[in-house]
Amino acid sequence: MDQADVVIIGAGAIGVCTAHYISKSTRRIVVVERGEVCVGCSYGNAGMLVPSHCVPLAEPKAVSQGFRWMFSPESPFYIKPRLDRELISWLWRFLRAANPRQVQAAMPLIRDLSLESLRLFEDLAGSFDFGLRCNGAVYLCRTESGFESLVRESLHLSEVGIQIEILTPDEIQALQPDVRFDVVGGVRYPQDGHLDPARFVTGLASRLIDDGVDIRTQTEVLGFEFTDDARLSVVRTTKGDILASEVVLAGGAWSPSLTEYLDLHLPIQPAKGYSVTVKKPEKAPGLPLMLTEARVGVNPMADTLRFAGTLELAGLDLTINPRRVQAILDAFPRYLPDLDPEVLDLVEVWRGLRPCTPDGLPFLGRSLSHPNLTVAAGHAMIGISLAPATGRIAADVVLGESSGFDLSLMKVDRFT
Ligand SMILES: Cc1cc2nc3c(=O)[nH]c(=O)nc-3n(C[C@H](O)[C@H](O)[C@H](O)COP(=O)(O)OP(=O)(O)OC[C@H]3O[C@@H](n4cnc5c(N)ncnc54)[C@H](O)[C@@H]3O)c2cc1C
């Protein structure tokens, strides 16, 4: 039987970053991936690095706005109506977590993880190119009410040390003189950045393979065998069993399906989002943008421009709903009137499943019930932003070292 010091399940941003930081100390690492490297949510997302998103998804505003949007198929947020016990219990937990006390506790943690990730991204960019730019992001508003709400939120962020610059339409225009905006104002977050997410994950995976890490694609983890003290001794896969000393679960939105074999409950709901990537038009924004009211992110990459958004709780369903793609296409000309979706050169329409926890914080740390299992999953809308810090912390947990972070809010067993 094959043997490994560490088996990592999932070769998305989180699994690959975890393998990277563990590989600095131990060589016998096997990453097991059901599809190809970066086939999941890490592939076509907006690629924005967002300390500006340090308010967790579960917050009071998300509840009030969510109720208005949730049954409209064109809105930025939609719940497919169905009787699903897991979904109902997730929504109930979400409502309970969406309170100011929980938000205040979570914000400094997400801020610190984001800023640590940016530092690690800059280190990694010294060894390979993945289009990293740390020149801020601009959130744009078309309506006075949207702008007021954005300014309130940015002032809240500035209280926890996130840098903000409130901008008039003229100041926005001056940042990008070539591009015409139809906005009433915006906020620039100078600490934000952006990258090409697929280039980052596949580039890092190639480097790991060169360094001798065993990445097994087209190999699905089916279950585990256990020792008497509930340690995971064997990882069972479609291509044979692997004897494992340590196991890391980084399976994104699919992580809960593997916990049916474990004494662990990971309430992660898949939240589908879409991106539309086009060839970069002549007059394209050079900075990442957030079209605030439409909840659409815009990421200028090397020779493409990507628009990404919408959040749809519809289970593990990967079908593309054309109405939701159309909602993205309809949104951006309202802010960028010279960009006409009809004449843009389409490269790809993509969908992915964000792994969302009910309290907006990932699961990160060791399981109490299974002492050699570490979980790194549930990063929702900020999994690229948090990937290097998550990988470094997961590596420290596996190697028994201190990460310097208080992991108590991200406890793996908090809903078990
Ligand atoms: C539209 C959209 C826009 C987004 N924009 C941003 C953004 O701008 N910034 C940001 O930070 N985040 C963004 N995100 C969120 C981000 O993409 C995710 O949080 C992140 O990619 C999650 O990474 P992951 O490694 O946990 O999951 P994934 O990338 O999904 O990786 C999990 C992997 O595990 C594998 N797997 C699962 N089960 C098994 C099994 N049993 N055996 C073997 N392999 C298995 C899967 O095949 C998959 O490859 C966005 C998401 C969407 C949908």
Side-chain angles (χ1 to χ4, degrees):
M1 194 186 299
D2 283 356
Q3 208 167 341
D5 293 330
V6 188
V7 173
I8 297 170
I9 304 167
I14 303 294
V16 168
C17 284
T18 304
H20 170 72
Y21 290 104
I22 295 180
S23 73
K24 292 176 181 290
S25 307
T26 177
R27 282 277 166 261
R28 286 193 309 173
I29 303 168
V30 178
V31 180
V32 185
E33 167 55 54
R34 183 171 54 193
E36 296 300 324
V37 169
C38 200
V39 78
C41 196
S42 302
Y43 173 78
N45 59 74
M48 294 171 72
L49 308 177
V50 281
S52 58
H53 267 43
C54 72
V55 175
L57 185 59
E59 52 128 352
K61 203 172 90 189
V63 174
S64 52
Q65 219 156 38
F67 270 119
R68 267 184 282 131
W69 281 338
M70 68 191 206
F71 297 115
S72 159
E74 278 89 24
S75 71
F77 172 61
Y78 174 66
I79 300 180
K80 185 176 174 188
R82 62 199 193 280
L83 275 177
D84 171 340
R85 251 184 65 203
E86 272 300 314
L87 173 66
I88 293 165
S89 130
W90 187 95
L91 288 170
W92 172 241
R93 287 180 161 133
F94 183 92
L95 288 174
R96 285 185 41 188
N99 65 71
R101 189 179 47 81
Q102 174 89 11
V103 171
Q104 282 310 117
M107 282 175 71
L109 174 65
I110 304 178
R111 172 202 61 202
D112 292 349
L113 291 171
S114 297
L115 296 176
E116 170 66 358
S117 271
L118 279 173
R119 190 185 69 73
L120 297 170
F121 273 125
E122 282 182 330
D123 271 4
L124 290 162
S127 46
F128 71 110
D129 181 18
F130 47 90
L132 177 69
R133 300 282 177 278
C134 295
N135 49 357
V138 181
Y139 285 42
L140 301 173
C141 292
R142 289 184 62 243
T143 61
E144 292 295 346
S145 60
F147 185 44
E148 276 165 26
S149 162
L150 176 68
V151 168
R152 260 198 314 277
E153 187 181 308
S154 67
L155 292 172
H156 188 198
L157 287 167
S158 75
E159 284 165 18
V160 296
I162 299 298
Q163 295 165 19
I164 62 165
E165 292 166 12
I166 298 171
L167 302 173
T168 62
D170 287 346
E171 287 167 330
I172 293 167
Q173 200 58 70
L175 286 174
Q176 301 273 279
D178 271 4
V179 181
R180 196 157 62 92
F181 295 99
D182 186 1
V183 293
V184 300
V187 174
R188 177 166 181 263
Y189 294 97
Q191 291 157 305
D192 281 12
H194 62 126
L195 49 70
D196 180 334
R199 236 166 106 195
F200 170 65
V201 180
T202 55
L204 189 56
S206 302
R207 295 178 61 79
L208 289 175
I209 293 167
D210 292 346
D211 290 346
V213 172
D214 182 356
I215 302 188
R216 298 187 188 176
T217 54
Q218 303 297 338
T219 308
E220 181 167 3
V221 172
L222 301 173
F224 310 99
E225 286 176 23
F226 302 90
T227 59
D228 291 343
D229 61 351
R231 294 171 71 83
L232 279 57
S233 53
V234 171
V235 177
R236 292 182 35 241
T237 83
T238 45
K239 295 200 179 152
D241 293 350
I242 309 169
L243 211 54
S245 304
E246 292 280 342
V247 178
V248 179
L249 177 54
W254 297 271
S255 302
S257 53
L258 283 170
T259 60
E260 68 183 83
Y261 310 102
L262 302 171
D263 187 9
L264 179 63
H265 181 52
L266 297 180
I268 291 178
Q269 278 294 318
K272 187 158 51 177
Y274 296 85
S275 69
V276 177
T277 305
V278 296
K279 282 207 181 124
K280 200 182 262 179
E282 205 181 311
K283 290 188 175 173
L287 283 173
L289 306 172
M290 178 59 72
L291 313 180
T292 308
E293 294 89 347
R295 302 288 187 276
V296 170
V298 184
N299 180 3
M301 300 193 291
D303 49 3
T304 58
L305 188 62
R306 177 169 293 165
F307 304 91
T310 83
L311 195 150
E312 183 181 342
L313 293 175
L316 287 168
D317 165 23
L318 277 166
T319 51
I320 291 184
N321 178 341
R323 289 172 81 180
R324 305 198 67 74
V325 176
Q326 193 58 47
I328 295 178
L329 294 173
D330 290 344
F332 64 79
R334 295 203 285 263
Y335 297 77
L336 302 157
D338 289 342
L339 287 189
D340 177 357
E342 297 294 320
V343 300
L344 290 174
D345 206 345
L346 182 69
V347 175
E348 189 173 17
V349 174
W350 170 87
R351 80 285 174 258
L353 300 175
R354 303 174 184 90
C356 293
T357 62
D359 57 5
L361 286 169
F363 294 110
L364 182 54
R366 265 196 199 286
S367 145
L368 286 177
S369 344
H370 304 285
N372 65 337
L373 172 67
T374 300
V375 179
H379 292 71
M381 4 243 294
I382 51 175
I384 299 299
S385 304
L386 302 191
T390 301
R392 184 180 77 64
I393 294 170
D396 287 336
V397 170
V398 168
L399 300 168
E401 288 163 14
S402 159
S403 67
F405 277 85
D406 177 358
L407 306 184
S408 53
L409 286 176
M410 298 185 286
K411 270 187 201 149
V412 166
D413 305 75
R414 63 186 185 275
F415 298 107
T416 298

